[in-house]
Amino acid sequence: MRLNPIRPLLLCLLGWLTLAPALARTADCQIQTARLTLDDGIALEYSQAGQGPPVLLLHGLFASKEQWQRFQCQLAADGRTAIAPDLPGYGQSSGFPLADYRLRTQAKRLHQFIARLGLTRFDLAGNSLGGALVAVYARSYPRQVRTLAFIGGPFGLLSWGQEVEAAIEAGVNPFIPITLAELDLELSLLFVMPPDLPEEDKRAQVAEYVANNRHYQQVWNIVNLDDRILARNLGGRWPTWIFWGQSDRIFPAENGVRRLRQFYPHAELHTPAKVGHLPHLEQPELTADLYLAFLSAHSPPLP
């Protein structure tokens, strides 16, 4: 049985993203959108900006490629090709069987996508669930990956933050909000300074979660079968970059950074203050500048 793709909260952040000051720095950025069909006829949609060495950007749970727009433009301005797919079953990609939300299956689907793009070597970065997928993919296809980057606390390493657990214990899943108050809670957990979204957009997003609640709950359950996947020694010797905000309330950095460095002991580490779970959205210039410095040291752009 194939399911409808996830239509995530971050799609209703697009107006906020477009108006962000960071885009003024890269006003000439052109982001193109396309679709690729995989072996079984199911399509993945992706966006691409720039020319040069490729960098793949993987979004998190209930998210989409749009969250990388500002980041893509900054990478493109540095002479790189920034590619952000809607992962299988998310955003505008086709519906997939429920079992395809398991991370190892996601990695296989992503491998098909990368093969269709004709990429043989690339830098790989991910946020949250995408961070876990970065590790799984690199371990499965090690010769393709030049560098790894964990942008925000990765899924699959440690338990949810205390506030997330408290909400779930009270009967509220803050990632599947069915009231405006629950949506506000989600935003407050994701951001240090939550965006001020129009109420009309917030109501539309809540209505989406209500209308397709069973599907979201099923995906949540399937994904959480992999809630310790990073703790299964997925480390390796790739040049690795970790950017984990001290104010991440989804996966707190205090314990998480120490555990992640057990698997990537030589990683370049940044733990900025007043940065939450989505640094590429909340602090895009700081995040991109530091990441580009890392890439320049380990994966320099073409002259």
Side-chain angles (χ1 to χ4, degrees):
M1 176 181 175
R2 291 179 178 177
L3 303 171
N4 293 327
I6 295 293
R7 307 295 185 195
L9 163 69
L10 288 175
L11 287 178
C12 77
L13 295 174
L14 283 178
W16 175 66
L17 293 175
T18 303
L19 296 174
L23 275 185
R25 182 176 166 183
T26 53
D28 58 346
C29 176
Q30 297 292 321
I31 298 179
Q32 299 177 329
T33 301
R35 293 175 74 83
L36 280 179
T37 302
L38 303 184
D39 295 344
D40 54 4
I42 299 180
L44 288 187
E45 187 163 296
Y46 68 100
S47 61
Q48 179 173 315
Q51 294 183 345
V55 183
L56 263 68
L57 304 168
L58 308 183
H59 64 72
L61 179 65
F62 300 153
S64 71
K65 63 185 179 301
E66 280 77 14
Q67 69 169 236
W68 294 108
Q69 284 184 347
R70 291 186 290 181
F71 206 72
Q72 283 179 283
C73 286
Q74 288 166 280
L75 267 59
D78 191 65
R80 299 178 186 278
T81 301
I83 302 167
D86 278 333
L87 293 175
Y90 296 89
Q92 300 300 318
S93 289
S94 300
F96 284 78
L98 191 59
D100 278 12
Y101 289 93
R102 293 298 298 266
L103 282 173
R104 295 192 186 280
T105 306
Q106 290 272 323
K108 292 177 183 177
R109 295 282 193 182
L110 186 62
H111 184 62
Q112 294 176 21
F113 166 77
I114 290 167
R116 291 297 173 93
L117 286 178
L119 302 180
T120 56
R121 290 275 287 171
F122 48 85
D123 302 291
L124 188 58
N127 168 254
S128 196
L129 181 76
L133 184 53
V134 160
V136 173
Y137 190 93
R139 196 62 182 261
S140 300
Y141 309 100
R143 295 184 179 180
Q144 290 188 324
V145 178
R146 282 192 297 249
T147 67
L148 301 181
F150 298 94
I151 302 177
F155 172 84
L157 183 66
L158 67 161
S159 300
W160 300 103
Q162 290 183 354
E163 292 164 294
V164 176
E165 289 191 351
I168 292 174
E169 287 174 356
V172 172
N173 187 329
F175 303 107
I176 311 175
I178 58 173
T179 67
L180 290 179
E182 291 179 9
L183 180 60
D184 287 338
L185 171 63
E186 179 181 17
L187 291 171
S188 73
L189 291 171
L190 290 172
F191 296 95
V192 176
M193 296 292 292
D196 186 15
L197 300 176
E199 185 168 327
E200 180 181 359
D201 290 349
K202 292 166 71 173
R203 290 188 181 279
Q205 184 59 47
V206 168
E208 159 66 20
Y209 282 123
V210 171
N212 296 292
N213 192 264
R214 179 166 174 77
H215 179 38
Y216 282 96
Q217 294 289 352
Q218 288 175 319
V219 172
W220 169 267
N221 292 338
I222 286 286
V223 166
N224 274 277
L225 293 175
D226 289 324
D227 66 351
R228 287 296 181 272
I229 197 165
L230 264 181
R232 298 170 193 159
N233 196 19
L234 283 174
R237 296 186 177 184
W238 303 273
T240 302
W241 192 76
I242 301 171
F243 191 89
W244 199 328
Q246 293 181 27
S247 298
D248 191 330
R249 296 160 69 187
I250 306 300
F251 298 118
E254 183 177 357
N255 293 326
V257 166
R258 175 181 54 82
R259 295 185 187 181
L260 189 57
R261 293 201 81 183
Q262 290 176 352
F263 303 124
Y264 304 94
H266 303 296
E268 179 180 321
L269 173 65
H270 299 273
T271 56
K274 298 182 180 180
V275 174
H277 190 59
L278 303 171
H280 54 299
L281 283 172
E282 195 164 29
Q283 295 288 345
E285 291 192 4
L286 171 65
T287 309
D289 286 347
L290 291 172
Y291 181 49
L292 285 169
F294 165 79
L295 287 181
S296 293
H298 298 283
S299 177
L302 298 175

